[in-house]
Amino acid sequence: MGFDVAAAREAFPILQRQVNGKPLIYLDSAASAQKPRAVIDAMRSAMESSYANVHRGLHTLANETTDAYEAARRSVASFIGAAEGEIVFTKGATEGINLVAAGLGARLQPGDEILLTEMEHHANIVPWHFLRERLGVVLRFVPVTDQGELDLAAYQDLLGPRTRLVAFTHMSNVLGTVNPAQRLTEMAHAAGALVLVDGCQAVVHQPVDVRELGADFYVFSGHKLYGPTGIGVLYGRAAALADLPPYQGGGEMIAQVSLEAITYADPPHRFEAGTPPILEAIGLGAAIEWLKGFDRQAIAEHEQRLYARTLEGLAGANWLKVIGEAPGKGAILSFLVDGAHAHDVAQILDRYGVAVRAGAHCAEPLMKRFGVTSSARASFGLYNTEAEADAFVEALTKTQAFFA
Ligand code: PLP
């Protein structure tokens, strides 16, 4: 079906604006993507014409809003090949991982092992450190090669009889590496461990089928997927979710409450205590339905072309160091400019209207692995164009001249 970037750009009002007198070139989608009109309209229209609390009411607006909220759950479920009851709405990927960590923590013993990788976002490290601090659980980390891939032989060796859970990112937010998630999952399951996959970046750039993947848990955030902030998804295989104790207590997550005892609702409601992010769920549903209108493979190829073109434009730049060169990697370019701090690079690029991220990208262990404390990162979204890739190369070359 192909992908028409010019038509897709029309859907994003923000792309019309200028920054510092230049057309905005937004290369920070890995941090948070811009929003198409479909999302903005869905959220506004919900507030303007059909808004109430969900699941509690007996009046028309409450029923309509509940229907819209649950329709969003169905959109998410069909997007990743899950059943409706396997989709828990959270406030983001971070909350999804914390939810699983807290639930599993209730069952772990001192000396039990959790296997992570060196390329994790802090969201997939810190909740597990809580279990180390509080329970004496042992954390192990799969090393990353110089190219930015997981060392699979080391992974095999690290899987042991005490490994209770393996948690890894499907696609690195720094290196762009796409990990062989299905294979990693099979190996973990063969060792008797549960698997949690951080899909924050991968779900944006490639079709994901959680059944095919086989993982027990898969998390992602709405705001990177062209949806709003404040909403995320925890997919849990039905049996894995059913096994998990509740995370927070409050309204909606119970079956019955008395002064002496409580019983809990079944998943997913067991994990959605209190009033959920209703408008945000509706916005995420709209983002997903909008995305379903595209050939996602064609979008992935478009993004790959942008990445390749950028690298080509920078070929021969002896002042540039790229971090992360795994074969098949996604369209995320982390880089260092000789003699320049990444923050300064980002600030100067901003003068040219180019938005990139700079810092440790919430991945300090990975930065340490590559012997740096920060890098700049240009990340491509479906709305970026070849002309923007060229303009980025030109702006970066001019930026570098300040430090030469
Ligand atoms: N995991 C990865 C790979 C990410 O890139 C991010 C966000 O940058 C997160 C987790 C955390 O997502 P959030 O802050 O939306 O919970």
Side-chain angles (χ1 to χ4, degrees):
M1 154 156 91
F3 176 64
D4 180 350
V5 63
R9 284 177 71 82
E10 296 279 309
F12 291 83
I14 205 168
L15 297 180
Q16 302 307 318
R17 74 161 282 180
Q18 303 225 319
V19 168
N20 294 321
K22 305 275 193 314
L24 166 67
I25 298 178
Y26 190 73
L27 298 180
D28 197 17
S29 297
S32 204
Q34 299 299 346
K35 319 303 171 199
R37 205 170 270 114
V39 171
I40 300 165
D41 288 351
M43 294 175 78
R44 196 187 50 231
S45 145
M47 279 184 282
E48 283 179 352
S49 59
S50 188
Y51 177 79
N53 210 326
V54 291
H55 295 140
R56 302 164 191 203
L58 292 171
H59 56 80
T60 300
L61 292 187
N63 290 336
E64 284 177 7
T65 311
T66 302
D67 287 348
Y69 179 74
E70 290 303 328
R73 197 190 306 277
R74 285 193 293 280
S75 288
V76 173
S78 73
F79 188 61
I80 58 169
E84 214 177 310
E86 295 175 315
I87 301 299
V88 178
F89 282 128
T90 62
K91 85 175 162 66
T94 300
E95 189 178 47
I97 298 170
N98 275 277
L99 190 162
V100 174
L104 289 184
R107 292 208 303 264
L108 295 179
Q109 304 294 324
D112 281 347
E113 295 174 15
I114 292 175
L115 183 52
L116 309 170
T117 86
E118 279 181 348
M119 66 168 83
E120 298 312 308
H121 187 282
H122 294 166
N124 200 23
I125 298 177
V126 180
W128 309 113
H129 266 299
F130 287 174
L131 300 189
R132 178 190 60 73
E133 284 183 342
R134 294 167 191 173
L135 300 173
V137 162
V138 176
L139 303 187
R140 300 201 184 280
F141 294 87
V142 183
V144 171
T145 67
D146 289 344
Q147 272 203 311
E149 292 181 285
L150 291 179
D151 178 338
L152 293 186
Y155 173 53
Q156 183 66 73
D157 289 347
L158 283 161
L159 284 167
R162 300 237 30 199
T163 312
R164 298 286 175 253
L165 175 89
V166 178
F168 61 86
T169 188
H170 197 171
M171 175 178 172
S172 164
N173 63 313
V174 178
L175 307 168
T177 308
V178 178
N179 288 317
Q182 196 173 340
R183 181 157 171 224
L184 297 176
T185 300
E186 282 164 8
M187 289 164 76
H189 282 166
L194 288 168
V195 175
L196 179 144
V197 180
D198 174 356
C200 262
Q201 300 294 338
V203 78
V204 182
H205 301 287
Q206 65 183 71
V208 169
D209 183 324
V210 288
R211 292 265 181 274
E212 210 172 283
L213 210 59
D216 302 282
F217 303 103
Y218 195 93
V219 298
F220 58 92
S221 290
H223 66 98
K224 296 177 200 283
L225 192 60
Y226 307 103
T229 50
I231 183 78
V233 170
L234 162 65
Y235 154 80
R237 199 169 42 78
L241 269 191
D243 237 19
L244 223 51
Y247 179 50
Q248 294 186 328
E252 285 306 307
M253 50 75 71
I254 45 81
Q256 280 189 319
V257 180
S258 71
L259 295 184
E260 294 77 28
I262 41 172
T263 53
Y264 302 123
D266 289 332
H269 302 291
R270 183 192 300 168
F271 305 105
E272 294 181 1
T275 298
I278 301 166
L279 294 167
E280 291 76 5
I282 290 171
L284 175 59
I288 286 176
E289 289 307 315
W290 180 80
L291 272 174
K292 283 179 182 169
F294 293 97
D295 174 347
R296 298 202 63 223
Q297 191 51 40
I299 293 179
E301 284 162 17
H302 164 70
E303 291 170 346
Q304 288 295 337
R305 270 196 302 279
L306 298 179
Y307 183 79
R309 190 179 177 97
T310 305
L311 271 194
E312 229 167 79
L314 291 166
N318 59 2
W319 41 265
L320 186 80
K321 180 170 167 17
V322 173
I323 302 178
E325 296 173 299
K329 65 170 280 187
I332 291 180
L333 177 68
S334 283
F335 60 94
L336 303 162
V337 171
D338 259 4
H341 193 282
H343 285 174
D344 295 330
V345 171
Q347 276 175 1
I348 297 175
L349 281 172
D350 185 58
R351 293 188 202 167
Y352 299 104
V354 179
V356 300
R357 169 101 191 255
H361 314 293
C362 297
E364 286 181 18
L366 182 65
M367 302 313 274
K368 191 165 174 209
R369 157 67 184 84
F370 282 93
V372 296
T373 52
S374 65
S375 75
R377 179 187 71 185
S379 54
F380 295 92
L382 61 81
Y383 33 59
N384 293 122
T385 64
E386 296 196 354
E388 287 184 324
D390 295 346
F392 165 61
V393 168
E394 195 185 324
L396 185 58
T397 307
K398 285 185 189 154
T399 299
Q400 183 272 333
F402 283 87
F403 303 96

mmCIF file with all atom_site columns, all heavy atoms in Angstrom, residues 194-215:
data_model
loop_
_atom_site.group_PDB
_atom_site.id
_atom_site.type_symbol
_atom_site.label_atom_id
_atom_site.label_alt_id
_atom_site.label_comp_id
_atom_site.label_asym_id
_atom_site.label_entity_id
_atom_site.label_seq_id
_atom_site.pdbx_PDB_ins_code
_atom_site.Cartn_x
_atom_site.Cartn_y
_atom_site.Cartn_z
_atom_site.occupancy
_atom_site.B_iso_or_equiv
_atom_site.pdbx_formal_charge
_atom_site.auth_seq_id
_atom_site.auth_comp_id
_atom_site.auth_asym_id
_atom_site.auth_atom_id
_atom_site.pdbx_PDB_model_num
ATOM 1   N N   . LEU A 1 194 ? 9.695  -16.460 34.019 1.00 0.00 ? 194 LEU A N   1
ATOM 2   C CA  . LEU A 1 194 ? 8.705  -15.604 33.370 1.00 0.00 ? 194 LEU A CA  1
ATOM 3   C C   . LEU A 1 194 ? 9.439  -14.548 32.548 1.00 0.00 ? 194 LEU A C   1
ATOM 4   O O   . LEU A 1 194 ? 10.615 -14.280 32.793 1.00 0.00 ? 194 LEU A O   1
ATOM 5   C CB  . LEU A 1 194 ? 7.840  -14.898 34.425 1.00 0.00 ? 194 LEU A CB  1
ATOM 6   C CG  . LEU A 1 194 ? 6.831  -15.762 35.182 1.00 0.00 ? 194 LEU A CG  1
ATOM 7   C CD1 . LEU A 1 194 ? 6.273  -14.979 36.370 1.00 0.00 ? 194 LEU A CD1 1
ATOM 8   C CD2 . LEU A 1 194 ? 5.707  -16.218 34.248 1.00 0.00 ? 194 LEU A CD2 1
ATOM 9   N N   . VAL A 1 195 ? 8.707  -13.931 31.607 1.00 0.00 ? 195 VAL A N   1
ATOM 10  C CA  . VAL A 1 195 ? 9.342  -12.929 30.738 1.00 0.00 ? 195 VAL A CA  1
ATOM 11  C C   . VAL A 1 195 ? 8.501  -11.656 30.685 1.00 0.00 ? 195 VAL A C   1
ATOM 12  O O   . VAL A 1 195 ? 7.291  -11.712 30.443 1.00 0.00 ? 195 VAL A O   1
ATOM 13  C CB  . VAL A 1 195 ? 9.501  -13.481 29.302 1.00 0.00 ? 195 VAL A CB  1
ATOM 14  C CG1 . VAL A 1 195 ? 10.047 -12.400 28.362 1.00 0.00 ? 195 VAL A CG1 1
ATOM 15  C CG2 . VAL A 1 195 ? 10.423 -14.694 29.304 1.00 0.00 ? 195 VAL A CG2 1
ATOM 16  N N   . LEU A 1 196 ? 9.174  -10.531 30.915 1.00 0.00 ? 196 LEU A N   1
ATOM 17  C CA  . LEU A 1 196 ? 8.540  -9.225  30.705 1.00 0.00 ? 196 LEU A CA  1
ATOM 18  C C   . LEU A 1 196 ? 9.319  -8.503  29.608 1.00 0.00 ? 196 LEU A C   1
ATOM 19  O O   . LEU A 1 196 ? 10.547 -8.407  29.673 1.00 0.00 ? 196 LEU A O   1
ATOM 20  C CB  . LEU A 1 196 ? 8.559  -8.393  31.986 1.00 0.00 ? 196 LEU A CB  1
ATOM 21  C CG  . LEU A 1 196 ? 7.946  -6.990  31.862 1.00 0.00 ? 196 LEU A CG  1
ATOM 22  C CD1 . LEU A 1 196 ? 7.208  -6.603  33.150 1.00 0.00 ? 196 LEU A CD1 1
ATOM 23  C CD2 . LEU A 1 196 ? 8.981  -5.914  31.541 1.00 0.00 ? 196 LEU A CD2 1
ATOM 24  N N   . VAL A 1 197 ? 8.599  -8.017  28.602 1.00 0.00 ? 197 VAL A N   1
ATOM 25  C CA  . VAL A 1 197 ? 9.250  -7.287  27.511 1.00 0.00 ? 197 VAL A CA  1
ATOM 26  C C   . VAL A 1 197 ? 8.821  -5.822  27.585 1.00 0.00 ? 197 VAL A C   1
ATOM 27  O O   . VAL A 1 197 ? 7.626  -5.520  27.687 1.00 0.00 ? 197 VAL A O   1
ATOM 28  C CB  . VAL A 1 197 ? 8.872  -7.877  26.132 1.00 0.00 ? 197 VAL A CB  1
ATOM 29  C CG1 . VAL A 1 197 ? 9.568  -7.099  25.014 1.00 0.00 ? 197 VAL A CG1 1
ATOM 30  C CG2 . VAL A 1 197 ? 9.257  -9.359  26.059 1.00 0.00 ? 197 VAL A CG2 1
ATOM 31  N N   . ASP A 1 198 ? 9.830  -4.948  27.549 1.00 0.00 ? 198 ASP A N   1
ATOM 32  C CA  . ASP A 1 198 ? 9.569  -3.506  27.500 1.00 0.00 ? 198 ASP A CA  1
ATOM 33  C C   . ASP A 1 198 ? 9.433  -3.125  26.025 1.00 0.00 ? 198 ASP A C   1
ATOM 34  O O   . ASP A 1 198 ? 10.417 -3.049  25.293 1.00 0.00 ? 198 ASP A O   1
ATOM 35  C CB  . ASP A 1 198 ? 10.740 -2.783  28.175 1.00 0.00 ? 198 ASP A CB  1
ATOM 36  C CG  . ASP A 1 198 ? 10.635 -1.271  28.051 1.00 0.00 ? 198 ASP A CG  1
ATOM 37  O OD1 . ASP A 1 198 ? 9.697  -0.779  27.374 1.00 0.00 ? 198 ASP A OD1 1
ATOM 38  O OD2 . ASP A 1 198 ? 11.489 -0.582  28.628 1.00 0.00 ? 198 ASP A OD2 1
ATOM 39  N N   . GLY A 1 199 ? 8.185  -2.892  25.618 1.00 0.00 ? 199 GLY A N   1
ATOM 40  C CA  . GLY A 1 199 ? 7.923  -2.644  24.198 1.00 0.00 ? 199 GLY A CA  1
ATOM 41  C C   . GLY A 1 199 ? 7.787  -1.170  23.837 1.00 0.00 ? 199 GLY A C   1
ATOM 42  O O   . GLY A 1 199 ? 7.320  -0.842  22.741 1.00 0.00 ? 199 GLY A O   1
ATOM 43  N N   . CYS A 1 200 ? 8.206  -0.287  24.757 1.00 0.00 ? 200 CYS A N   1
ATOM 44  C CA  . CYS A 1 200 ? 8.015  1.164   24.560 1.00 0.00 ? 200 CYS A CA  1
ATOM 45  C C   . CYS A 1 200 ? 8.413  1.661   23.170 1.00 0.00 ? 200 CYS A C   1
ATOM 46  O O   . CYS A 1 200 ? 7.691  2.422   22.554 1.00 0.00 ? 200 CYS A O   1
ATOM 47  C CB  . CYS A 1 200 ? 8.871  1.916   25.568 1.00 0.00 ? 200 CYS A CB  1
ATOM 48  S SG  . CYS A 1 200 ? 7.950  2.420   26.982 1.00 0.00 ? 200 CYS A SG  1
ATOM 49  N N   . GLN A 1 201 ? 9.578  1.241   22.718 1.00 0.00 ? 201 GLN A N   1
ATOM 50  C CA  . GLN A 1 201 ? 10.064 1.732   21.419 1.00 0.00 ? 201 GLN A CA  1
ATOM 51  C C   . GLN A 1 201 ? 9.611  0.810   20.294 1.00 0.00 ? 201 GLN A C   1
ATOM 52  O O   . GLN A 1 201 ? 9.199  1.271   19.228 1.00 0.00 ? 201 GLN A O   1
ATOM 53  C CB  . GLN A 1 201 ? 11.606 1.832   21.423 1.00 0.00 ? 201 GLN A CB  1
ATOM 54  C CG  . GLN A 1 201 ? 12.176 2.782   22.471 1.00 0.00 ? 201 GLN A CG  1
ATOM 55  C CD  . GLN A 1 201 ? 11.820 4.241   22.211 1.00 0.00 ? 201 GLN A CD  1
ATOM 56  O OE1 . GLN A 1 201 ? 11.508 4.646   21.091 1.00 0.00 ? 201 GLN A OE1 1
ATOM 57  N NE2 . GLN A 1 201 ? 11.853 5.053   23.256 1.00 0.00 ? 201 GLN A NE2 1
ATOM 58  N N   . ALA A 1 202 ? 9.682  -0.490  20.521 1.00 0.00 ? 202 ALA A N   1
ATOM 59  C CA  . ALA A 1 202 ? 9.414  -1.439  19.426 1.00 0.00 ? 202 ALA A CA  1
ATOM 60  C C   . ALA A 1 202 ? 7.987  -1.325  18.898 1.00 0.00 ? 202 ALA A C   1
ATOM 61  O O   . ALA A 1 202 ? 7.756  -1.359  17.686 1.00 0.00 ? 202 ALA A O   1
ATOM 62  C CB  . ALA A 1 202 ? 9.690  -2.867  19.897 1.00 0.00 ? 202 ALA A CB  1
ATOM 63  N N   . VAL A 1 203 ? 7.038  -1.170  19.793 1.00 0.00 ? 203 VAL A N   1
ATOM 64  C CA  . VAL A 1 203 ? 5.636  -1.197  19.373 1.00 0.00 ? 203 VAL A CA  1
ATOM 65  C C   . VAL A 1 203 ? 5.311  -0.028  18.433 1.00 0.00 ? 203 VAL A C   1
ATOM 66  O O   . VAL A 1 203 ? 4.362  -0.082  17.661 1.00 0.00 ? 203 VAL A O   1
ATOM 67  C CB  . VAL A 1 203 ? 4.702  -1.204  20.616 1.00 0.00 ? 203 VAL A CB  1
ATOM 68  C CG1 . VAL A 1 203 ? 4.584  0.190   21.228 1.00 0.00 ? 203 VAL A CG1 1
ATOM 69  C CG2 . VAL A 1 203 ? 3.342  -1.769  20.287 1.00 0.00 ? 203 VAL A CG2 1
ATOM 70  N N   . VAL A 1 204 ? 6.147  1.011   18.493 1.00 0.00 ? 204 VAL A N   1
ATOM 71  C CA  . VAL A 1 204 ? 5.937  2.179   17.636 1.00 0.00 ? 204 VAL A CA  1
ATOM 72  C C   . VAL A 1 204 ? 6.383  1.887   16.198 1.00 0.00 ? 204 VAL A C   1
ATOM 73  O O   . VAL A 1 204 ? 5.814  2.417   15.250 1.00 0.00 ? 204 VAL A O   1
ATOM 74  C CB  . VAL A 1 204 ? 6.745  3.391   18.177 1.00 0.00 ? 204 VAL A CB  1
ATOM 75  C CG1 . VAL A 1 204 ? 6.493  4.633   17.326 1.00 0.00 ? 204 VAL A CG1 1
ATOM 76  C CG2 . VAL A 1 204 ? 6.426  3.653   19.638 1.00 0.00 ? 204 VAL A CG2 1
ATOM 77  N N   . HIS A 1 205 ? 7.397  1.065   16.069 1.00 0.00 ? 205 HIS A N   1
ATOM 78  C CA  . HIS A 1 205 ? 8.064  0.941   14.765 1.00 0.00 ? 205 HIS A CA  1
ATOM 79  C C   . HIS A 1 205 ? 7.831  -0.383  14.053 1.00 0.00 ? 205 HIS A C   1
ATOM 80  O O   . HIS A 1 205 ? 8.269  -0.547  12.920 1.00 0.00 ? 205 HIS A O   1
ATOM 81  C CB  . HIS A 1 205 ? 9.578  1.157   14.946 1.00 0.00 ? 205 HIS A CB  1
ATOM 82  C CG  . HIS A 1 205 ? 9.895  2.497   15.530 1.00 0.00 ? 205 HIS A CG  1
ATOM 83  N ND1 . HIS A 1 205 ? 9.778  3.661   14.811 1.00 0.00 ? 205 HIS A ND1 1
ATOM 84  C CD2 . HIS A 1 205 ? 10.277 2.864   16.774 1.00 0.00 ? 205 HIS A CD2 1
ATOM 85  C CE1 . HIS A 1 205 ? 10.100 4.693   15.583 1.00 0.00 ? 205 HIS A CE1 1
ATOM 86  N NE2 . HIS A 1 205 ? 10.397 4.225   16.780 1.00 0.00 ? 205 HIS A NE2 1
ATOM 87  N N   . GLN A 1 206 ? 7.224  -1.329  14.715 1.00 0.00 ? 206 GLN A N   1
ATOM 88  C CA  . GLN A 1 206 ? 6.996  -2.615  14.048 1.00 0.00 ? 206 GLN A CA  1
ATOM 89  C C   . GLN A 1 206 ? 5.723  -3.258  14.568 1.00 0.00 ? 206 GLN A C   1
ATOM 90  O O   . GLN A 1 206 ? 5.336  -3.026  15.714 1.00 0.00 ? 206 GLN A O   1
ATOM 91  C CB  . GLN A 1 206 ? 8.190  -3.552  14.283 1.00 0.00 ? 206 GLN A CB  1
ATOM 92  C CG  . GLN A 1 206 ? 8.383  -3.955  15.736 1.00 0.00 ? 206 GLN A CG  1
ATOM 93  C CD  . GLN A 1 206 ? 9.617  -4.834  15.919 1.00 0.00 ? 206 GLN A CD  1
ATOM 94  O OE1 . GLN A 1 206 ? 10.748 -4.374  15.819 1.00 0.00 ? 206 GLN A OE1 1
ATOM 95  N NE2 . GLN A 1 206 ? 9.400  -6.097  16.171 1.00 0.00 ? 206 GLN A NE2 1
ATOM 96  N N   . PRO A 1 207 ? 5.071  -4.051  13.715 1.00 0.00 ? 207 PRO A N   1
ATOM 97  C CA  . PRO A 1 207 ? 3.892  -4.772  14.220 1.00 0.00 ? 207 PRO A CA  1
ATOM 98  C C   . PRO A 1 207 ? 4.317  -5.738  15.329 1.00 0.00 ? 207 PRO A C   1
ATOM 99  O O   . PRO A 1 207 ? 5.367  -6.373  15.223 1.00 0.00 ? 207 PRO A O   1
ATOM 100 C CB  . PRO A 1 207 ? 3.411  -5.546  12.986 1.00 0.00 ? 207 PRO A CB  1
ATOM 101 C CG  . PRO A 1 207 ? 4.059  -4.888  11.813 1.00 0.00 ? 207 PRO A CG  1
ATOM 102 C CD  . PRO A 1 207 ? 5.354  -4.325  12.304 1.00 0.00 ? 207 PRO A CD  1
ATOM 103 N N   . VAL A 1 208 ? 3.526  -5.794  16.375 1.00 0.00 ? 208 VAL A N   1
ATOM 104 C CA  . VAL A 1 208 ? 3.835  -6.697  17.494 1.00 0.00 ? 208 VAL A CA  1
ATOM 105 C C   . VAL A 1 208 ? 2.649  -7.627  17.695 1.00 0.00 ? 208 VAL A C   1
ATOM 106 O O   . VAL A 1 208 ? 1.498  -7.182  17.737 1.00 0.00 ? 208 VAL A O   1
ATOM 107 C CB  . VAL A 1 208 ? 4.088  -5.891  18.798 1.00 0.00 ? 208 VAL A CB  1
ATOM 108 C CG1 . VAL A 1 208 ? 4.148  -6.808  20.011 1.00 0.00 ? 208 VAL A CG1 1
ATOM 109 C CG2 . VAL A 1 208 ? 5.370  -5.078  18.692 1.00 0.00 ? 208 VAL A CG2 1
ATOM 110 N N   . ASP A 1 209 ? 2.947  -8.919  17.812 1.00 0.00 ? 209 ASP A N   1
ATOM 111 C CA  . ASP A 1 209 ? 1.916  -9.912  18.110 1.00 0.00 ? 209 ASP A CA  1
ATOM 112 C C   . ASP A 1 209 ? 2.366  -10.643 19.371 1.00 0.00 ? 209 ASP A C   1
ATOM 113 O O   . ASP A 1 209 ? 3.304  -11.438 19.336 1.00 0.00 ? 209 ASP A O   1
ATOM 114 C CB  . ASP A 1 209 ? 1.770  -10.882 16.926 1.00 0.00 ? 209 ASP A CB  1
ATOM 115 C CG  . ASP A 1 209 ? 0.657  -11.891 17.159 1.00 0.00 ? 209 ASP A CG  1
ATOM 116 O OD1 . ASP A 1 209 ? 0.467  -12.327 18.317 1.00 0.00 ? 209 ASP A OD1 1
ATOM 117 O OD2 . ASP A 1 209 ? -0.014 -12.256 16.188 1.00 0.00 ? 209 ASP A OD2 1
ATOM 118 N N   . VAL A 1 210 ? 1.674  -10.341 20.464 1.00 0.00 ? 210 VAL A N   1
ATOM 119 C CA  . VAL A 1 210 ? 2.149  -10.883 21.745 1.00 0.00 ? 210 VAL A CA  1
ATOM 120 C C   . VAL A 1 210 ? 2.040  -12.408 21.812 1.00 0.00 ? 210 VAL A C   1
ATOM 121 O O   . VAL A 1 210 ? 2.822  -13.060 22.506 1.00 0.00 ? 210 VAL A O   1
ATOM 122 C CB  . VAL A 1 210 ? 1.424  -10.241 22.948 1.00 0.00 ? 210 VAL A CB  1
ATOM 123 C CG1 . VAL A 1 210 ? 1.892  -8.813  23.150 1.00 0.00 ? 210 VAL A CG1 1
ATOM 124 C CG2 . VAL A 1 210 ? -0.075 -10.325 22.824 1.00 0.00 ? 210 VAL A CG2 1
ATOM 125 N N   . ARG A 1 211 ? 1.106  -12.980 21.077 1.00 0.00 ? 211 ARG A N   1
ATOM 126 C CA  . ARG A 1 211 ? 0.987  -14.453 21.074 1.00 0.00 ? 211 ARG A CA  1
ATOM 127 C C   . ARG A 1 211 ? 2.210  -15.080 20.403 1.00 0.00 ? 211 ARG A C   1
ATOM 128 O O   . ARG A 1 211 ? 2.772  -16.052 20.884 1.00 0.00 ? 211 ARG A O   1
ATOM 129 C CB  . ARG A 1 211 ? -0.248 -14.894 20.300 1.00 0.00 ? 211 ARG A CB  1
ATOM 130 C CG  . ARG A 1 211 ? -1.533 -14.539 20.944 1.00 0.00 ? 211 ARG A CG  1
ATOM 131 C CD  . ARG A 1 211 ? -2.104 -15.682 21.796 1.00 0.00 ? 211 ARG A CD  1
ATOM 132 N NE  . ARG A 1 211 ? -3.349 -15.239 22.357 1.00 0.00 ? 211 ARG A NE  1
ATOM 133 C CZ  . ARG A 1 211 ? -3.448 -14.544 23.488 1.00 0.00 ? 211 ARG A CZ  1
ATOM 134 N NH1 . ARG A 1 211 ? -2.390 -14.261 24.204 1.00 0.00 ? 211 ARG A NH1 1
ATOM 135 N NH2 . ARG A 1 211 ? -4.619 -14.145 23.932 1.00 0.00 ? 211 ARG A NH2 1
ATOM 136 N N   . GLU A 1 212 ? 2.578  -14.476 19.255 1.00 0.00 ? 212 GLU A N   1
ATOM 137 C CA  . GLU A 1 212 ? 3.745  -14.977 18.527 1.00 0.00 ? 212 GLU A CA  1
ATOM 138 C C   . GLU A 1 212 ? 5.004  -14.841 19.384 1.00 0.00 ? 212 GLU A C   1
ATOM 139 O O   . GLU A 1 212 ? 5.845  -15.722 19.440 1.00 0.00 ? 212 GLU A O   1
ATOM 140 C CB  . GLU A 1 212 ? 3.897  -14.135 17.270 1.00 0.00 ? 212 GLU A CB  1
ATOM 141 C CG  . GLU A 1 212 ? 4.509  -14.828 16.075 1.00 0.00 ? 212 GLU A CG  1
ATOM 142 C CD  . GLU A 1 212 ? 4.397  -13.898 14.883 1.00 0.00 ? 212 GLU A CD  1
ATOM 143 O OE1 . GLU A 1 212 ? 3.282  -13.781 14.315 1.00 0.00 ? 212 GLU A OE1 1
ATOM 144 O OE2 . GLU A 1 212 ? 5.401  -13.263 14.567 1.00 0.00 ? 212 GLU A OE2 1
ATOM 145 N N   . LEU A 1 213 ? 5.081  -13.710 20.052 1.00 0.00 ? 213 LEU A N   1
ATOM 146 C CA  . LEU A 1 213 ? 6.240  -13.414 20.899 1.00 0.00 ? 213 LEU A CA  1
ATOM 147 C C   . LEU A 1 213 ? 6.314  -14.389 22.068 1.00 0.00 ? 213 LEU A C   1
ATOM 148 O O   . LEU A 1 213 ? 7.391  -14.849 22.441 1.00 0.00 ? 213 LEU A O   1
ATOM 149 C CB  . LEU A 1 213 ? 6.068  -11.986 21.422 1.00 0.00 ? 213 LEU A CB  1
ATOM 150 C CG  . LEU A 1 213 ? 7.294  -11.172 21.700 1.00 0.00 ? 213 LEU A CG  1
ATOM 151 C CD1 . LEU A 1 213 ? 8.112  -11.037 20.432 1.00 0.00 ? 213 LEU A CD1 1
ATOM 152 C CD2 . LEU A 1 213 ? 6.861  -9.783  22.185 1.00 0.00 ? 213 LEU A CD2 1
ATOM 153 N N   . GLY A 1 214 ? 5.179  -14.676 22.650 1.00 0.00 ? 214 GLY A N   1
ATOM 154 C CA  . GLY A 1 214 ? 5.118  -15.673 23.723 1.00 0.00 ? 214 GLY A CA  1
ATOM 155 C C   . GLY A 1 214 ? 5.432  -15.145 25.112 1.00 0.00 ? 214 GLY A C   1
ATOM 156 O O   . GLY A 1 214 ? 5.430  -15.901 26.078 1.00 0.00 ? 214 GLY A O   1
ATOM 157 N N   . ALA A 1 215 ? 5.746  -13.841 25.227 1.00 0.00 ? 215 ALA A N   1
ATOM 158 C CA  . ALA A 1 215 ? 6.124  -13.298 26.538 1.00 0.00 ? 215 ALA A CA  1
ATOM 159 C C   . ALA A 1 215 ? 4.927  -13.292 27.485 1.00 0.00 ? 215 ALA A C   1
ATOM 160 O O   . ALA A 1 215 ? 3.773  -13.285 27.050 1.00 0.00 ? 215 ALA A O   1
ATOM 161 C CB  . ALA A 1 215 ? 6.670  -11.893 26.381 1.00 0.00 ? 215 ALA A CB  1
#
